[in-house]
Amino acid sequence: MMHSVLRTNNWNTGEEPSTIDVALGQDTNLPSSVDHVVRLKSTRDQTDIPRFPTHPSTWEYRPLFLRPSPNSSMKIRGVRNSSSTEYLKEYDLEHDSLPINSGNEQEGKCLVIDFTTSSFQGTALFRIKLQQNKSSESDGPNQDYYFAGRKRTFQAVIKGKFLLPIPISQCVTGQVFERPPAKLPPKFILHGAESLFKKLAPQLAIDLDGKRPKFLSPLASTAQTVVCDDANSEGIERDMREPDQADPKSLHQHLTKPCRPEKGTDTKARIKARKKAFDRNFARKDMGPKFDPSKEYTFEFFQHLVHFDDFSVDLGMAGRHKLGGVLNGQPLKCTAARYHKDDVDQLAFLWAFDIWHESLCVD
């Protein structure tokens, strides 16, 4: 089997690359009094750095490869059609990419991933826009194409149950890297990018100076849509709709003192109200509101800044910048985690997926 070399500029410079030291309790699908804890530290042992997947020429979804984040404690239970309960095949997670849907799938035929960690058990659906996937469209616009008429280039839907009551203010989502970037853009571009990202997520915490760069923001306010429902609710493929604040499906019902509804009843107003309420919840470190293990939660994430054909990020007036060299041989993440004892250097993952691009390696 062919393998590629990580594109990393500090591989032999004498710097200490960072890695993950995992303190694990017993692996179990049931709640445990011992959380799976990821303690962030640095080490000189380069063999601990997650290596690149197999050569891109073998990737089913080239130029992309999706897999669980190594050392996250997440286990893949199986892959299936969204309308079925039967798993399609056994996946070799070293050689096989988890499924990435193109947006052209018929209803019920999206491929979804069942997974579990010590704190969450659920299902993930990924849709990523690539130009090569538009070839199945007819001469005119394909009305069934998920990305038709939408600016977004990425959608992830996570649906499942928390296995124990976890304070909402302890849960975050974002990017956690194992070592510093290879080469950052000029500071004026970084400052512009930070301002842009903080407009989208006011509670976003950015650390680019440490050995473990990270971008983390509150899970409850960062997701574009959040729905809380009884178990076995509607399918994961459906178009998501932010519930009204008074609806039992709204996350607002978890607050002891719900905010007054924002003016207007449209979707944007409802989303704005939730984000404002749970940004405040996060800033206050309010330990009262908790995710309920008897409920099923659906989180929808989408974005339009990263273009996956050439693995670039569009920073508006600051231009479009390739990520392959900047990321120092590291993938992007789709992850959520819980702070352990309110220590930002310890994370217990709720879910963790790596999105690799072929530009991250050299032959």
Side-chain angles (χ1 to χ4, degrees):
M1 184 67 67
M2 293 182 293
H3 294 276
S4 295
V5 179
L6 285 171
R7 184 187 295 276
T8 166
N9 288 1
N10 69 347
W11 192 262
N12 293 308
T13 62
E15 293 183 32
E16 287 191 356
S18 297
T19 189
I20 300 177
D21 180 30
V22 186
L24 295 176
Q26 292 294 321
D27 282 338
T28 176
N29 291 345
L30 300 175
S32 169
S33 59
V34 180
D35 282 338
H36 288 202
V37 177
V38 177
R39 183 181 297 278
L40 309 183
K41 72 170 190 178
S42 63
T43 177
R44 291 187 182 275
D45 185 0
Q46 295 179 357
T47 62
D48 285 343
I49 298 173
R51 65 180 181 80
F52 199 79
T54 54
H55 193 276
S57 64
T58 69
W59 295 0
E60 180 178 358
Y61 302 99
R62 189 176 186 180
L64 302 176
F65 190 99
L66 178 69
R67 69 173 181 175
S69 300
N71 300 324
S72 65
S73 85
M74 186 175 75
K75 291 186 174 181
I76 302 301
R77 299 166 61 204
V79 173
R80 57 183 173 83
N81 286 320
S82 58
S83 58
S84 173
T85 59
E86 294 186 5
Y87 293 134
L88 299 177
K89 69 172 185 176
E90 289 189 12
Y91 271 74
D92 178 347
L93 295 178
E94 182 177 353
H95 302 109
D96 296 338
S97 174
L98 292 169
I100 301 170
N101 295 282
S102 68
N104 283 306
E105 293 76 17
Q106 297 178 357
E107 184 176 355
K109 296 300 183 181
C110 277
L111 293 176
V112 298
I113 307 155
D114 290 339
F115 67 90
T116 186
T117 63
S118 62
S119 301
F120 190 89
Q121 182 169 300
T123 302
L125 179 151
F126 290 90
R127 290 184 175 112
I128 296 181
K129 183 178 182 179
L130 295 170
Q131 289 301 314
Q132 67 195 40
N133 294 330
K134 298 183 71 175
S135 60
S136 61
E137 295 185 41
S138 59
D139 293 338
N142 181 1
Q143 298 303 318
D144 294 326
Y145 180 50
Y146 171 78
F147 293 104
R150 288 171 162 152
K151 191 176 180 181
R152 68 191 68 165
T153 61
F154 170 92
Q155 182 207 31
V157 181
I158 309 291
K159 181 187 182 75
K161 299 180 70 173
F162 290 83
L163 300 180
L164 61 164
I166 298 176
I168 295 176
S169 63
Q170 284 191 336
C171 296
V172 293
T173 183
Q175 304 288 321
V176 179
F177 297 105
E178 297 195 17
R179 54 187 178 275
K183 182 179 180 181
L184 288 174
K187 285 189 176 181
F188 77 92
I189 293 179
L190 291 178
H191 291 158
E194 182 173 344
S195 298
L196 173 61
F197 294 152
K198 288 203 169 185
K199 285 182 180 179
L200 300 174
Q203 289 295 322
L204 176 66
I206 300 177
D207 177 11
L208 289 176
D209 298 322
K211 291 184 177 180
R212 294 300 306 276
K214 45 188 172 286
F215 304 74
L216 295 173
S217 58
L219 173 62
S221 60
T222 301
Q224 274 76 4
T225 313
V226 182
V227 178
C228 171
D229 210 339
D230 295 327
N232 301 316
S233 57
E234 295 179 39
I236 195 171
E237 281 184 322
R238 75 186 194 278
D239 280 341
M240 298 284 293
R241 178 182 177 274
E242 183 77 18
D244 293 324
Q245 288 175 247
D247 191 323
K249 296 181 180 181
S250 173
L251 205 59
H252 277 273
Q253 299 303 308
H254 291 58
L255 295 172
T256 52
K257 294 182 180 179
C259 299
R260 290 185 302 173
E262 294 282 335
K263 292 182 179 180
T265 58
D266 65 338
T267 300
K268 288 185 179 179
R270 293 193 294 271
I271 294 173
K272 180 180 178 181
R274 173 186 35 94
K275 288 178 176 286
K276 182 177 179 181
F278 285 95
D279 273 341
R280 184 182 296 115
N281 167 264
F282 184 83
R284 293 176 176 175
K285 299 181 180 179
D286 187 346
M287 301 295 284
K290 295 180 173 63
F291 288 113
D292 184 350
S294 69
K295 298 290 186 180
E296 188 172 65
Y297 295 85
T298 306
F299 301 90
E300 181 186 35
F301 305 88
F302 55 80
Q303 62 81 40
H304 65 278
L305 298 179
V306 177
H307 297 263
F308 289 90
D309 289 289
D310 62 356
F311 211 42
S312 64
V313 59
D314 188 346
L315 299 178
M317 295 183 65
R320 192 157 155 173
H321 300 267
K322 297 289 183 68
L323 292 171
V326 173
L327 290 178
N328 200 2
Q330 301 172 96
L332 287 179
K333 306 279 188 180
C334 176
T335 187
R338 171 193 180 185
Y339 283 137
H340 182 74
K341 297 180 180 178
D342 204 31
D343 183 344
V344 296
D345 285 334
Q346 295 189 46
L347 297 173
F349 286 107
L350 301 171
W351 58 82
F353 295 90
D354 286 353
I355 305 172
W356 289 89
H357 189 272
E358 64 182 1
S359 64
L360 294 169
C361 76
V362 292
D363 290 328

